[in-house]
Amino acid sequence: MRLTRLKLRSVFVVYFLVSVLGLMYALLQLGQPCDCTPQMKSANDLVRQKDQKLLHLQAEVKKLQRQLKAEEAGAAAPDGQPLPTIYAITPTYTRLVQKAELIRLSQTFLHVKRFHWIVVEDAANRSKLVADLLAQSGLSYTHLNLPTPTIYKLRESDPNWLKPRGVEQRNRGIQWLRENRELSEEAVVYFADDDNTYSLKLFEEMRWTKRVSVWPVGLVGGLRFERPLVENGKVVGFYTAWKPNRPFPMDMAGFAVALQLLLANREARFDINAERGYLESSLLQSLASIEELEPKADNCNTVLVWHTRTEKPKMKQEDLLLKEGKGSDIHIEV
């Protein structure tokens, strides 16, 4: 009997061990790849790639939405109304530094929201140089031309202050606005010469002009700056040294005019026969009184534009080579 029990126990132990080993083998097999693993892996990879593409597209859509919102915000005032457009009228004429000046200016204007550049050449025909430059600028622009009458043109030997420059061209820009813009449009007009330096802040200051806005101009009139004098938010006089008794002793870069005011006063224009220093006054006298001027730029305490003239290049070596028939390649545009 005892032997029988021992045999039964041995059989039970062997059975138990075999069962345990069988279970362990089965469990191990569950962790092994089956024949379908490659297909499942390939399918998983495709799903993963599609998910990644979908996430990338979603990120691109969100980026475009942010850009669109930023552009819409930039083109509108805080109250949701469209920003007034700034029209900058720039007279220009052919000279060695013309392209350099216009390139520098255009790349400043690119940063100004709702901006339209009116470039008026002092020439009988519009030049290819200016036309190409404007076409490639990325700006909204109008390209015009009008030659200055010969009797008003400066000769090569004349000092630049002897006769007013850019008068007919500025008036041509004003004429274009009167012919192509409506009295209902809220906008501002600025006379931006191509040899000045402009802070971007200046354009946001002038954008909300209601009549005529004014500010200081640096490096002008033989002074570090000229500026309107302001008391209690009103212009009461001008800080200037040269001909201080002029009606509006200011530089061309120191004011902007509301488009509606300019269109409503159809006779307002620059007088080409104005006495030296009185050109700005010839326009402003028909648009506003000193009391109506709107001081900008921290009540005219901050300089945001500078009357910086580019030095006329000295072409001594070029002239010598030209006499020898060895001048630089005229087909390379400078």
Side-chain angles (χ1 to χ4, degrees):
M1 189 71 176
R2 185 177 180 183
L3 180 62
T4 302
R5 288 179 179 177
L6 286 172
K7 286 182 179 179
L8 287 172
R9 185 180 295 175
S10 297
V11 172
F12 178 80
V13 169
V14 171
Y15 179 80
F16 177 77
L17 290 173
V18 171
S19 299
V20 169
L21 290 172
L23 180 61
M24 291 177 66
Y25 179 79
L27 291 172
L28 288 171
Q29 287 298 313
L30 288 174
Q32 298 299 315
C34 66
D35 293 339
C36 65
T37 298
Q39 290 82 355
M40 292 179 65
K41 184 178 180 182
S42 177
N44 287 336
D45 288 343
L46 288 173
V47 172
R48 191 178 300 111
Q49 290 174 7
K50 289 181 179 179
D51 287 344
Q52 290 174 345
K53 288 182 179 179
L54 181 60
L55 288 172
H56 176 72
L57 290 172
Q58 288 175 337
E60 287 296 312
V61 169
K62 288 180 180 178
K63 180 181 177 181
L64 291 172
Q65 287 175 335
R66 288 195 299 269
Q67 290 177 348
L68 182 61
K69 286 181 180 179
E71 289 175 4
E72 289 174 347
D79 59 3
Q81 295 299 314
L83 287 178
T85 300
I86 295 174
Y87 292 99
I89 298 176
T90 300
T92 187
Y93 65 99
T94 301
R95 60 200 191 279
L96 279 173
V97 299
Q98 182 185 30
K99 184 176 181 179
E101 299 277 37
L102 293 176
I103 285 284
R104 175 175 53 81
L105 199 53
S106 69
Q107 292 181 358
T108 295
F109 291 162
L110 272 173
H111 298 281
V112 184
K113 300 179 183 71
R114 293 190 66 85
F115 183 91
H116 187 92
W117 197 14
I118 303 173
V119 179
V120 191
E121 291 193 70
D122 186 349
N125 299 291
R126 286 173 284 183
S127 69
K128 183 178 184 300
L129 182 150
V130 176
D132 289 348
L133 187 152
L134 290 173
Q136 297 167 19
S137 70
L139 290 163
S140 170
Y141 69 88
T142 297
H143 185 190
L144 306 171
N145 67 287
L146 183 67
T148 298
T150 304
I151 60 171
Y152 294 108
K153 274 188 174 293
L154 286 170
R155 293 174 296 182
E156 187 67 25
S157 58
D158 289 339
N160 57 23
W161 48 261
L162 187 62
K163 296 176 181 178
R165 294 179 299 167
V167 182
E168 294 297 271
Q169 291 71 43
R170 294 186 188 96
N171 286 334
R172 178 67 185 93
I174 293 172
Q175 178 188 344
W176 183 88
L177 288 169
R178 287 174 174 151
E179 293 171 350
N180 294 276
R181 292 299 180 263
E182 300 294 331
L183 188 59
S184 59
E185 180 181 353
E186 290 193 21
V188 62
V189 181
Y190 184 50
F191 302 98
D193 289 351
D194 60 7
D195 57 353
N196 290 341
T197 300
Y198 304 90
S199 165
L200 294 177
K201 293 180 181 179
L202 176 66
F203 299 99
E204 299 315 311
E205 290 278 333
M206 72 173 69
R207 191 181 296 278
W208 306 101
T209 299
K210 291 181 172 30
R211 198 171 183 86
V212 177
S213 55
V214 294
W215 48 79
V217 178
L219 311 178
V220 69
L223 298 171
R224 291 176 59 243
F225 59 83
E226 290 182 338
R227 72 182 184 105
L229 299 173
V230 181
E231 292 181 4
N232 300 318
K234 295 288 186 180
V235 175
V236 295
F238 298 89
Y239 174 73
T240 184
W242 187 72
K243 293 189 176 182
N245 293 324
R246 288 173 289 162
F248 292 87
M250 295 190 297
D251 185 79
M252 192 70 66
F255 65 91
V257 180
L259 175 65
Q260 293 175 337
L261 180 64
L262 204 54
L263 298 186
N265 292 268
R266 302 194 66 83
E267 301 304 315
R269 66 195 314 272
F270 293 101
D271 183 2
I272 198 169
N273 293 304
E275 182 184 343
R276 181 187 170 203
Y278 285 75
L279 186 62
E280 294 83 356
S281 298
S282 70
L283 175 75
L284 293 174
Q285 279 182 302
S286 60
L287 297 175
S289 64
I290 290 178
E291 293 76 19
E292 292 174 314
L293 298 178
E294 304 156 45
K296 302 292 185 179
D298 188 27
N299 274 330
C300 297
N301 285 300
T302 301
V303 176
L304 298 174
V305 57
W306 296 262
H307 200 263
T308 48
R309 291 194 182 98
T310 302
E311 180 182 2
K312 185 178 180 180
K314 296 177 175 62
M315 293 287 108
K316 182 178 179 180
Q317 299 304 320
E318 185 76 27
D319 292 340
L320 289 174
L321 289 175
L322 281 171
K323 289 178 181 178
E324 298 174 8
K326 301 176 182 178
S328 58
D329 189 344
I330 61 171
H331 297 100
I332 296 178
E333 189 177 271
V334 176

